[in-house]
Amino acid sequence: MVIVDELDNANSKNLAYAPDRLKASEYKYYWQVGNPTIPKLGIDRAYLESDQKVWKIKCDSCGFWQVLDFFKNVVRQVDENVWELIDQDYNIICNNCFTPLDRLADGEWVARYPDREISGYHISQLMSPTVTVKEIYDQFVRGLSNASAMQVFYNSYLGLAYEAVG
């Protein structure tokens, strides 16, 4: 089994040898994990080539199934580069009926491309019991005036590739 942790930061020379290490194995498991950096590179590219599983949860109020999305469930844009919380108590809000959602509720992995052979999972800190919505929001606010902080917000907090304008 080969596990490549933080693919985008891994030594490319070592990566070239990784598949060779599985030749004698009966199982040939090869996993790549990490935070994405820029679009279509490293782990983001691997995810784009996968079945692209996302975690969906069901709203207890209206029954709507949804993927947690910071820009739909936490904040809304009110002007250029001006955002506000949808709920001042830092609740995740259903993007269908606008009632608070339990972000840690049971859900299910749903593949966007179920016919693809490679299994890939998108995970964000919106799904984490150890990170508060306030922490995620505060990082976003820092990022509004700091490109490096915004990179961290997208890559580490949302688990998304990001390339700053310019």
Side-chain angles (χ1 to χ4, degrees), residues 11-61:
N11 181 320
S12 61
K13 288 182 181 179
N14 291 342
L15 290 176
Y17 288 100
D20 184 57
R21 301 298 185 249
L22 295 173
K23 288 195 179 191
S25 174
E26 173 180 344
Y27 302 104
K28 300 182 183 352
Y29 292 118
Y30 185 83
W31 293 356
Q32 298 172 320
V33 296
N35 289 322
T37 53
I38 59 174
K40 299 179 184 172
L41 176 79
I43 200 72
D44 185 58
R45 181 178 174 181
Y47 180 72
L48 292 173
E49 293 171 355
S50 77
D51 62 358
Q52 298 182 23
K53 288 184 185 75
V54 292
W55 183 250
K56 287 192 166 189
I57 61 171
K58 184 179 178 182
C59 176
D60 287 336
S61 295

Side-chain angles (χ1 to χ4, degrees), residues 72-139:
K72 291 180 181 176
N73 301 102
V74 179
V75 296
R76 68 175 144 242
Q77 189 169 15
V78 294
D79 204 350
E80 187 174 331
N81 213 31
V82 179
W83 299 80
E84 67 181 12
L85 285 165
I86 296 171
D87 180 273
Q88 297 306 309
D89 293 324
Y90 300 98
N91 287 309
I92 300 280
I93 301 300
C94 173
N95 60 33
N96 186 58
C97 71
F98 307 105
T99 60
L101 263 176
D102 177 4
R103 68 186 177 115
L104 304 177
D106 288 341
E108 61 184 51
W109 288 106
V110 178
R112 290 184 174 144
Y113 302 99
D115 295 336
R116 291 186 182 173
E117 186 176 325
I118 297 170
S119 183
Y121 298 82
H122 174 256
I123 299 171
S124 85
Q125 291 192 23
L126 288 170
M127 301 158 58
S128 172
T130 61
V131 179
T132 66
V133 175
K134 183 180 183 325
E135 289 174 279
I136 298 168
Y137 176 75
D138 288 347
Q139 181 65 32

